[in-house]
Amino acid sequence: MHDLLVKLYGRADVRPDIDKLQAEGINVRKAMAYEKHHVVEWVMETFGTGWASECDVSFSNHPATCFIATENNKIIGFACYDSTAKNFFGPMGVAEQARNRGIGKALLLSALDAMSQDGYAYAIIGGIDSAEFYIKTAGAIEIPGSSPGIYRDRLK
Ligand SMILES: CC(C)(COP(=O)(O)OP(=O)(O)OC[C@H]1O[C@@H](n2cnc3c(N)ncnc32)[C@H](O)[C@@H]1OP(=O)(O)O)[C@@H](O)C(=O)NCCC(=O)NCCS
């Protein structure tokens, strides 16, 4: 597991990716505080307790640092930042049946855009098994010596 670094300045506009999904009935947007239990429960059921815990913490930021993708008022994907560590992106995930439609990319780029607006110049994507998605969609590069990173001595 390595960490990745992503440049946040000079990025392309994320709006076209969001507009394309919206035309297909999928909304990618910031999660609201009143949606916390829906989102955290969905992350728990879909991806397990570790990611649900991190997602929960993202709702303790104000405003929440969590993006969601919805279709017919149901959640189908999420992406958080500033959770386990400041300046860290993640976790993120898309429901299996909704993958390969550009939703993961739109969630990732929306969160990176928000991190840039929050004042970060770079984002760290922590504890990645497979970097390919992030290299392709966000131009991420591996941080040398970042394994093991902060996700060590974990409770089991
Ligand atoms: C990784 C994940 C978020 C991608 O979501 P997605 O909605 O299927 O991704 P997209 O449709 O937006 O894909 C965007 C591009 O990345 C590519 N891509 C998607 N998943 C990929 C992967 N695992 N490896 C390499 N490339 C990938 C797509 O082919 C697409 O390429 P294109 O623009 O040339 O068509 C999703 O597969 C997932 O939830 N996986 C399980 C959880 C996980 O691994 N989360 C990330 C670790 S925190």
Side-chain angles (χ1 to χ4, degrees), residues 105-139:
K105 182 182 175 193
L107 282 165
L108 170 65
L109 298 186
S110 296
L112 295 180
D113 190 45
M115 292 179 81
S116 173
Q117 287 175 33
D118 287 353
Y120 293 116
Y122 294 87
I124 298 153
I125 303 176
I128 294 307
D129 285 326
S130 165
E132 213 181 314
F133 169 73
Y134 296 104
I135 292 169
K136 184 174 195 179
T137 53

PDB file of all heavy atoms in Angstrom, residues 105-139:
ATOM      1  N   LYS A 105     -14.791   8.874 -11.344  1.00  0.00           N
ATOM      2  CA  LYS A 105     -13.985  10.011 -11.821  1.00  0.00           C
ATOM      3  C   LYS A 105     -14.610  11.338 -11.378  1.00  0.00           C
ATOM      4  O   LYS A 105     -13.926  12.224 -10.868  1.00  0.00           O
ATOM      5  CB  LYS A 105     -13.883   9.958 -13.356  1.00  0.00           C
ATOM      6  CG  LYS A 105     -13.037  11.056 -13.935  1.00  0.00           C
ATOM      7  CD  LYS A 105     -13.022  10.967 -15.447  1.00  0.00           C
ATOM      8  CE  LYS A 105     -12.265  12.146 -16.051  1.00  0.00           C
ATOM      9  NZ  LYS A 105     -12.485  12.274 -17.491  1.00  0.00           N
ATOM     10  N   ALA A 106     -15.935  11.474 -11.547  1.00  0.00           N
ATOM     11  CA  ALA A 106     -16.610  12.729 -11.183  1.00  0.00           C
ATOM     12  C   ALA A 106     -16.538  12.975  -9.674  1.00  0.00           C
ATOM     13  O   ALA A 106     -16.342  14.112  -9.233  1.00  0.00           O
ATOM     14  CB  ALA A 106     -18.066  12.697 -11.646  1.00  0.00           C
ATOM     15  N   LEU A 107     -16.665  11.911  -8.873  1.00  0.00           N
ATOM     16  CA  LEU A 107     -16.550  12.064  -7.415  1.00  0.00           C
ATOM     17  C   LEU A 107     -15.137  12.492  -7.038  1.00  0.00           C
ATOM     18  O   LEU A 107     -14.941  13.413  -6.238  1.00  0.00           O
ATOM     19  CB  LEU A 107     -16.886  10.729  -6.732  1.00  0.00           C
ATOM     20  CG  LEU A 107     -18.356  10.366  -6.611  1.00  0.00           C
ATOM     21  CD1 LEU A 107     -18.510   8.888  -6.253  1.00  0.00           C
ATOM     22  CD2 LEU A 107     -19.056  11.238  -5.574  1.00  0.00           C
ATOM     23  N   LEU A 108     -14.153  11.813  -7.613  1.00  0.00           N
ATOM     24  CA  LEU A 108     -12.750  12.137  -7.306  1.00  0.00           C
ATOM     25  C   LEU A 108     -12.428  13.578  -7.694  1.00  0.00           C
ATOM     26  O   LEU A 108     -11.893  14.346  -6.880  1.00  0.00           O
ATOM     27  CB  LEU A 108     -11.823  11.163  -8.055  1.00  0.00           C
ATOM     28  CG  LEU A 108     -10.331  11.494  -8.043  1.00  0.00           C
ATOM     29  CD1 LEU A 108      -9.764  11.419  -6.623  1.00  0.00           C
ATOM     30  CD2 LEU A 108      -9.553  10.555  -8.967  1.00  0.00           C
ATOM     31  N   LEU A 109     -12.767  13.967  -8.914  1.00  0.00           N
ATOM     32  CA  LEU A 109     -12.407  15.316  -9.384  1.00  0.00           C
ATOM     33  C   LEU A 109     -13.176  16.391  -8.618  1.00  0.00           C
ATOM     34  O   LEU A 109     -12.650  17.476  -8.365  1.00  0.00           O
ATOM     35  CB  LEU A 109     -12.648  15.438 -10.896  1.00  0.00           C
ATOM     36  CG  LEU A 109     -11.814  14.482 -11.767  1.00  0.00           C
ATOM     37  CD1 LEU A 109     -12.009  14.793 -13.242  1.00  0.00           C
ATOM     38  CD2 LEU A 109     -10.332  14.531 -11.415  1.00  0.00           C
ATOM     39  N   SER A 110     -14.417  16.085  -8.205  1.00  0.00           N
ATOM     40  CA  SER A 110     -15.183  17.052  -7.393  1.00  0.00           C
ATOM     41  C   SER A 110     -14.507  17.272  -6.046  1.00  0.00           C
ATOM     42  O   SER A 110     -14.388  18.413  -5.573  1.00  0.00           O
ATOM     43  CB  SER A 110     -16.605  16.542  -7.141  1.00  0.00           C
ATOM     44  OG  SER A 110     -17.312  16.447  -8.338  1.00  0.00           O
ATOM     45  N   ALA A 111     -14.067  16.174  -5.417  1.00  0.00           N
ATOM     46  CA  ALA A 111     -13.421  16.298  -4.106  1.00  0.00           C
ATOM     47  C   ALA A 111     -12.070  17.021  -4.244  1.00  0.00           C
ATOM     48  O   ALA A 111     -11.728  17.863  -3.414  1.00  0.00           O
ATOM     49  CB  ALA A 111     -13.236  14.916  -3.482  1.00  0.00           C
ATOM     50  N   LEU A 112     -11.328  16.717  -5.294  1.00  0.00           N
ATOM     51  CA  LEU A 112     -10.035  17.402  -5.496  1.00  0.00           C
ATOM     52  C   LEU A 112     -10.252  18.892  -5.727  1.00  0.00           C
ATOM     53  O   LEU A 112      -9.497  19.732  -5.218  1.00  0.00           O
ATOM     54  CB  LEU A 112      -9.274  16.781  -6.679  1.00  0.00           C
ATOM     55  CG  LEU A 112      -8.823  15.320  -6.504  1.00  0.00           C
ATOM     56  CD1 LEU A 112      -8.088  14.843  -7.755  1.00  0.00           C
ATOM     57  CD2 LEU A 112      -7.940  15.146  -5.269  1.00  0.00           C
ATOM     58  N   ASP A 113     -11.299  19.219  -6.470  1.00  0.00           N
ATOM     59  CA  ASP A 113     -11.648  20.628  -6.705  1.00  0.00           C
ATOM     60  C   ASP A 113     -11.962  21.318  -5.371  1.00  0.00           C
ATOM     61  O   ASP A 113     -11.510  22.439  -5.104  1.00  0.00           O
ATOM     62  CB  ASP A 113     -12.858  20.664  -7.651  1.00  0.00           C
ATOM     63  CG  ASP A 113     -13.148  22.062  -8.148  1.00  0.00           C
ATOM     64  OD1 ASP A 113     -12.191  22.747  -8.535  1.00  0.00           O
ATOM     65  OD2 ASP A 113     -14.311  22.470  -8.132  1.00  0.00           O
ATOM     66  N   ALA A 114     -12.724  20.635  -4.512  1.00  0.00           N
ATOM     67  CA  ALA A 114     -13.070  21.207  -3.200  1.00  0.00           C
ATOM     68  C   ALA A 114     -11.818  21.375  -2.345  1.00  0.00           C
ATOM     69  O   ALA A 114     -11.683  22.375  -1.631  1.00  0.00           O
ATOM     70  CB  ALA A 114     -14.080  20.296  -2.498  1.00  0.00           C
ATOM     71  N   MET A 115     -10.902  20.433  -2.417  1.00  0.00           N
ATOM     72  CA  MET A 115      -9.656  20.549  -1.642  1.00  0.00           C
ATOM     73  C   MET A 115      -8.850  21.754  -2.109  1.00  0.00           C
ATOM     74  O   MET A 115      -8.271  22.484  -1.299  1.00  0.00           O
ATOM     75  CB  MET A 115      -8.823  19.263  -1.772  1.00  0.00           C
ATOM     76  CG  MET A 115      -9.468  18.067  -1.090  1.00  0.00           C
ATOM     77  SD  MET A 115      -8.512  16.539  -1.254  1.00  0.00           S
ATOM     78  CE  MET A 115      -7.282  16.779   0.036  1.00  0.00           C
ATOM     79  N   SER A 116      -8.831  21.974  -3.412  1.00  0.00           N
ATOM     80  CA  SER A 116      -8.142  23.152  -3.949  1.00  0.00           C
ATOM     81  C   SER A 116      -8.800  24.426  -3.424  1.00  0.00           C
ATOM     82  O   SER A 116      -8.120  25.360  -2.973  1.00  0.00           O
ATOM     83  CB  SER A 116      -8.185  23.086  -5.480  1.00  0.00           C
ATOM     84  OG  SER A 116      -7.680  24.274  -6.013  1.00  0.00           O
ATOM     85  N   GLN A 117     -10.137  24.445  -3.428  1.00  0.00           N
ATOM     86  CA  GLN A 117     -10.854  25.627  -2.927  1.00  0.00           C
ATOM     87  C   GLN A 117     -10.641  25.824  -1.423  1.00  0.00           C
ATOM     88  O   GLN A 117     -10.696  26.945  -0.926  1.00  0.00           O
ATOM     89  CB  GLN A 117     -12.343  25.504  -3.231  1.00  0.00           C
ATOM     90  CG  GLN A 117     -12.642  25.711  -4.703  1.00  0.00           C
ATOM     91  CD  GLN A 117     -14.102  25.462  -5.026  1.00  0.00           C
ATOM     92  OE1 GLN A 117     -14.974  25.721  -4.228  1.00  0.00           O
ATOM     93  NE2 GLN A 117     -14.354  24.923  -6.203  1.00  0.00           N
ATOM     94  N   ASP A 118     -10.383  24.726  -0.714  1.00  0.00           N
ATOM     95  CA  ASP A 118     -10.102  24.823   0.732  1.00  0.00           C
ATOM     96  C   ASP A 118      -8.685  25.331   1.001  1.00  0.00           C
ATOM     97  O   ASP A 118      -8.312  25.535   2.158  1.00  0.00           O
ATOM     98  CB  ASP A 118     -10.270  23.452   1.413  1.00  0.00           C
ATOM     99  CG  ASP A 118     -11.737  23.048   1.539  1.00  0.00           C
ATOM    100  OD1 ASP A 118     -12.621  23.878   1.229  1.00  0.00           O
ATOM    101  OD2 ASP A 118     -12.000  21.892   1.931  1.00  0.00           O
ATOM    102  N   GLY A 119      -7.870  25.458  -0.047  1.00  0.00           N
ATOM    103  CA  GLY A 119      -6.544  26.046   0.130  1.00  0.00           C
ATOM    104  C   GLY A 119      -5.368  25.103  -0.019  1.00  0.00           C
ATOM    105  O   GLY A 119      -4.218  25.513   0.135  1.00  0.00           O
ATOM    106  N   TYR A 120      -5.641  23.836  -0.313  1.00  0.00           N
ATOM    107  CA  TYR A 120      -4.533  22.898  -0.506  1.00  0.00           C
ATOM    108  C   TYR A 120      -3.954  23.058  -1.911  1.00  0.00           C
ATOM    109  O   TYR A 120      -4.698  23.311  -2.868  1.00  0.00           O
ATOM    110  CB  TYR A 120      -5.005  21.451  -0.351  1.00  0.00           C
ATOM    111  CG  TYR A 120      -5.445  21.084   1.049  1.00  0.00           C
ATOM    112  CD1 TYR A 120      -6.767  20.723   1.308  1.00  0.00           C
ATOM    113  CD2 TYR A 120      -4.550  21.079   2.109  1.00  0.00           C
ATOM    114  CE1 TYR A 120      -7.183  20.372   2.589  1.00  0.00           C
ATOM    115  CE2 TYR A 120      -4.951  20.733   3.393  1.00  0.00           C
ATOM    116  CZ  TYR A 120      -6.269  20.380   3.623  1.00  0.00           C
ATOM    117  OH  TYR A 120      -6.677  20.030   4.884  1.00  0.00           O
ATOM    118  N   ALA A 121      -2.642  22.875  -2.037  1.00  0.00           N
ATOM    119  CA  ALA A 121      -1.996  22.910  -3.346  1.00  0.00           C
ATOM    120  C   ALA A 121      -1.811  21.497  -3.905  1.00  0.00           C
ATOM    121  O   ALA A 121      -1.738  21.297  -5.122  1.00  0.00           O
ATOM    122  CB  ALA A 121      -0.636  23.601  -3.249  1.00  0.00           C
ATOM    123  N   TYR A 122      -1.725  20.519  -2.999  1.00  0.00           N
ATOM    124  CA  TYR A 122      -1.584  19.106  -3.373  1.00  0.00           C
ATOM    125  C   TYR A 122      -2.521  18.283  -2.497  1.00  0.00           C
ATOM    126  O   TYR A 122      -2.852  18.698  -1.388  1.00  0.00           O
ATOM    127  CB  TYR A 122      -0.148  18.614  -3.141  1.00  0.00           C
ATOM    128  CG  TYR A 122       0.870  19.284  -4.042  1.00  0.00           C
ATOM    129  CD1 TYR A 122       1.468  20.485  -3.663  1.00  0.00           C
ATOM    130  CD2 TYR A 122       1.206  18.731  -5.269  1.00  0.00           C
ATOM    131  CE1 TYR A 122       2.387  21.121  -4.488  1.00  0.00           C
ATOM    132  CE2 TYR A 122       2.129  19.360  -6.103  1.00  0.00           C
ATOM    133  CZ  TYR A 122       2.709  20.555  -5.712  1.00  0.00           C
ATOM    134  OH  TYR A 122       3.611  21.168  -6.536  1.00  0.00           O
ATOM    135  N   ALA A 123      -2.928  17.124  -2.978  1.00  0.00           N
ATOM    136  CA  ALA A 123      -3.696  16.174  -2.162  1.00  0.00           C
ATOM    137  C   ALA A 123      -2.909  14.882  -2.071  1.00  0.00           C
ATOM    138  O   ALA A 123      -2.186  14.508  -3.005  1.00  0.00           O
ATOM    139  CB  ALA A 123      -5.057  15.905  -2.801  1.00  0.00           C
ATOM    140  N   ILE A 124      -3.067  14.197  -0.941  1.00  0.00           N
ATOM    141  CA  ILE A 124      -2.445  12.882  -0.752  1.00  0.00           C
ATOM    142  C   ILE A 124      -3.555  11.838  -0.782  1.00  0.00           C
ATOM    143  O   ILE A 124      -4.593  12.022  -0.123  1.00  0.00           O
ATOM    144  CB  ILE A 124      -1.703  12.826   0.597  1.00  0.00           C
ATOM    145  CG1 ILE A 124      -0.575  13.857   0.601  1.00  0.00           C
ATOM    146  CG2 ILE A 124      -1.170  11.418   0.871  1.00  0.00           C
ATOM    147  CD1 ILE A 124      -0.205  14.356   1.963  1.00  0.00           C
ATOM    148  N   ILE A 125      -3.354  10.815  -1.575  1.00  0.00           N
ATOM    149  CA  ILE A 125      -4.324   9.716  -1.611  1.00  0.00           C
ATOM    150  C   ILE A 125      -3.669   8.573  -0.850  1.00  0.00           C
ATOM    151  O   ILE A 125      -2.637   8.043  -1.275  1.00  0.00           O
ATOM    152  CB  ILE A 125      -4.670   9.325  -3.063  1.00  0.00           C
ATOM    153  CG1 ILE A 125      -5.203  10.558  -3.815  1.00  0.00           C
ATOM    154  CG2 ILE A 125      -5.708   8.204  -3.069  1.00  0.00           C
ATOM    155  CD1 ILE A 125      -5.487  10.333  -5.277  1.00  0.00           C
ATOM    156  N   GLY A 126      -4.257   8.246   0.293  1.00  0.00           N
ATOM    157  CA  GLY A 126      -3.552   7.372   1.240  1.00  0.00           C
ATOM    158  C   GLY A 126      -3.844   5.897   1.071  1.00  0.00           C
ATOM    159  O   GLY A 126      -4.974   5.505   0.783  1.00  0.00           O
ATOM    160  N   GLY A 127      -2.821   5.081   1.262  1.00  0.00           N
ATOM    161  CA  GLY A 127      -2.967   3.633   1.388  1.00  0.00           C
ATOM    162  C   GLY A 127      -3.625   2.958   0.209  1.00  0.00           C
ATOM    163  O   GLY A 127      -4.593   2.216   0.360  1.00  0.00           O
ATOM    164  N   ILE A 128      -3.066   3.181  -0.975  1.00  0.00           N
ATOM    165  CA  ILE A 128      -3.669   2.670  -2.210  1.00  0.00           C
ATOM    166  C   ILE A 128      -3.093   1.304  -2.607  1.00  0.00           C
ATOM    167  O   ILE A 128      -1.875   1.133  -2.638  1.00  0.00           O
ATOM    168  CB  ILE A 128      -3.399   3.690  -3.346  1.00  0.00           C
ATOM    169  CG1 ILE A 128      -4.147   4.984  -3.060  1.00  0.00           C
ATOM    170  CG2 ILE A 128      -3.769   3.140  -4.713  1.00  0.00           C
ATOM    171  CD1 ILE A 128      -5.612   4.804  -2.784  1.00  0.00           C
ATOM    172  N   ASP A 129      -3.978   0.330  -2.876  1.00  0.00           N
ATOM    173  CA  ASP A 129      -3.527  -0.975  -3.377  1.00  0.00           C
ATOM    174  C   ASP A 129      -3.213  -0.879  -4.865  1.00  0.00           C
ATOM    175  O   ASP A 129      -2.208  -1.381  -5.333  1.00  0.00           O
ATOM    176  CB  ASP A 129      -4.607  -2.039  -3.160  1.00  0.00           C
ATOM    177  CG  ASP A 129      -4.675  -2.442  -1.696  1.00  0.00           C
ATOM    178  OD1 ASP A 129      -3.615  -2.449  -1.050  1.00  0.00           O
ATOM    179  OD2 ASP A 129      -5.783  -2.725  -1.207  1.00  0.00           O
ATOM    180  N   SER A 130      -4.137  -0.253  -5.601  1.00  0.00           N
ATOM    181  CA  SER A 130      -3.953  -0.127  -7.045  1.00  0.00           C
ATOM    182  C   SER A 130      -4.050   1.349  -7.439  1.00  0.00           C
ATOM    183  O   SER A 130      -5.084   1.988  -7.251  1.00  0.00           O
ATOM    184  CB  SER A 130      -5.032  -0.940  -7.765  1.00  0.00           C
ATOM    185  OG  SER A 130      -5.067  -0.558  -9.118  1.00  0.00           O
ATOM    186  N   ALA A 131      -2.939   1.860  -7.989  1.00  0.00           N
ATOM    187  CA  ALA A 131      -2.860   3.300  -8.292  1.00  0.00           C
ATOM    188  C   ALA A 131      -3.440   3.648  -9.662  1.00  0.00           C
ATOM    189  O   ALA A 131      -3.667   4.816  -9.953  1.00  0.00           O
ATOM    190  CB  ALA A 131      -1.407   3.738  -8.229  1.00  0.00           C
ATOM    191  N   GLU A 132      -3.703   2.635 -10.473  1.00  0.00           N
ATOM    192  CA  GLU A 132      -4.006   2.868 -11.898  1.00  0.00           C
ATOM    193  C   GLU A 132      -5.150   3.869 -12.126  1.00  0.00           C
ATOM    194  O   GLU A 132      -5.046   4.773 -12.959  1.00  0.00           O
ATOM    195  CB  GLU A 132      -4.359   1.528 -12.533  1.00  0.00           C
ATOM    196  CG  GLU A 132      -3.928   1.418 -13.975  1.00  0.00           C
ATOM    197  CD  GLU A 132      -4.337   0.055 -14.534  1.00  0.00           C
ATOM    198  OE1 GLU A 132      -4.105  -0.966 -13.857  1.00  0.00           O
ATOM    199  OE2 GLU A 132      -4.911   0.047 -15.638  1.00  0.00           O
ATOM    200  N   PHE A 133      -6.248   3.703 -11.372  1.00  0.00           N
ATOM    201  CA  PHE A 133      -7.410   4.588 -11.521  1.00  0.00           C
ATOM    202  C   PHE A 133      -7.024   6.036 -11.253  1.00  0.00           C
ATOM    203  O   PHE A 133      -7.416   6.949 -11.986  1.00  0.00           O
ATOM    204  CB  PHE A 133      -8.521   4.124 -10.565  1.00  0.00           C
ATOM    205  CG  PHE A 133      -9.658   5.093 -10.422  1.00  0.00           C
ATOM    206  CD1 PHE A 133     -10.584   5.265 -11.444  1.00  0.00           C
ATOM    207  CD2 PHE A 133      -9.809   5.834  -9.258  1.00  0.00           C
ATOM    208  CE1 PHE A 133     -11.635   6.168 -11.312  1.00  0.00           C
ATOM    209  CE2 PHE A 133     -10.856   6.731  -9.112  1.00  0.00           C
ATOM    210  CZ  PHE A 133     -11.775   6.904 -10.141  1.00  0.00           C
ATOM    211  N   TYR A 134      -6.211   6.260 -10.212  1.00  0.00           N
ATOM    212  CA  TYR A 134      -5.844   7.626  -9.822  1.00  0.00           C
ATOM    213  C   TYR A 134      -4.809   8.230 -10.779  1.00  0.00           C
ATOM    214  O   TYR A 134      -4.806   9.439 -11.000  1.00  0.00           O
ATOM    215  CB  TYR A 134      -5.308   7.621  -8.386  1.00  0.00           C
ATOM    216  CG  TYR A 134      -6.352   7.213  -7.384  1.00  0.00           C
ATOM    217  CD1 TYR A 134      -6.341   5.946  -6.811  1.00  0.00           C
ATOM    218  CD2 TYR A 134      -7.371   8.086  -7.036  1.00  0.00           C
ATOM    219  CE1 TYR A 134      -7.310   5.562  -5.904  1.00  0.00           C
ATOM    220  CE2 TYR A 134      -8.352   7.712  -6.131  1.00  0.00           C
ATOM    221  CZ  TYR A 134      -8.316   6.450  -5.571  1.00  0.00           C
ATOM    222  OH  TYR A 134      -9.292   6.079  -4.682  1.00  0.00           O
ATOM    223  N   ILE A 135      -3.944   7.398 -11.314  1.00  0.00           N
ATOM    224  CA  ILE A 135      -2.959   7.890 -12.287  1.00  0.00           C
ATOM    225  C   ILE A 135      -3.713   8.347 -13.539  1.00  0.00           C
ATOM    226  O   ILE A 135      -3.484   9.423 -14.074  1.00  0.00           O
ATOM    227  CB  ILE A 135      -1.930   6.784 -12.623  1.00  0.00           C
ATOM    228  CG1 ILE A 135      -1.063   6.491 -11.398  1.00  0.00           C
ATOM    229  CG2 ILE A 135      -1.076   7.168 -13.829  1.00  0.00           C
ATOM    230  CD1 ILE A 135      -0.189   5.248 -11.515  1.00  0.00           C
ATOM    231  N   LYS A 136      -4.663   7.501 -13.958  1.00  0.00           N
ATOM    232  CA  LYS A 136      -5.402   7.775 -15.193  1.00  0.00           C
ATOM    233  C   LYS A 136      -6.321   8.993 -15.068  1.00  0.00           C
ATOM    234  O   LYS A 136      -6.360   9.842 -15.956  1.00  0.00           O
ATOM    235  CB  LYS A 136      -6.240   6.537 -15.539  1.00  0.00           C
ATOM    236  CG  LYS A 136      -6.976   6.638 -16.844  1.00  0.00           C
ATOM    237  CD  LYS A 136      -7.642   5.315 -17.163  1.00  0.00           C
ATOM    238  CE  LYS A 136      -8.068   5.275 -18.607  1.00  0.00           C
ATOM    239  NZ  LYS A 136      -8.685   4.006 -18.964  1.00  0.00           N
ATOM    240  N   THR A 137      -7.058   9.082 -13.980  1.00  0.00           N
ATOM    241  CA  THR A 137      -8.099  10.115 -13.886  1.00  0.00           C
ATOM    242  C   THR A 137      -7.609  11.436 -13.293  1.00  0.00           C
ATOM    243  O   THR A 137      -8.204  12.478 -13.536  1.00  0.00           O
ATOM    244  CB  THR A 137      -9.302   9.636 -13.038  1.00  0.00           C
ATOM    245  OG1 THR A 137      -8.802   9.175 -11.789  1.00  0.00           O
ATOM    246  CG2 THR A 137     -10.049   8.520 -13.720  1.00  0.00           C
ATOM    247  N   ALA A 138      -6.509  11.385 -12.487  1.00  0.00           N
ATOM    248  CA  ALA A 138      -6.103  12.614 -11.781  1.00  0.00           C
ATOM    249  C   ALA A 138      -4.615  12.930 -11.923  1.00  0.00           C
ATOM    250  O   ALA A 138      -4.146  13.899 -11.337  1.00  0.00           O
ATOM    251  CB  ALA A 138      -6.457  12.493 -10.297  1.00  0.00           C
ATOM    252  N   GLY A 139      -3.880  12.118 -12.678  1.00  0.00           N
ATOM    253  CA  GLY A 139      -2.445  12.380 -12.856  1.00  0.00           C
ATOM    254  C   GLY A 139      -1.647  12.175 -11.579  1.00  0.00           C
ATOM    255  O   GLY A 139      -0.626  12.841 -11.343  1.00  0.00           O
TER     256      GLY A 139
END
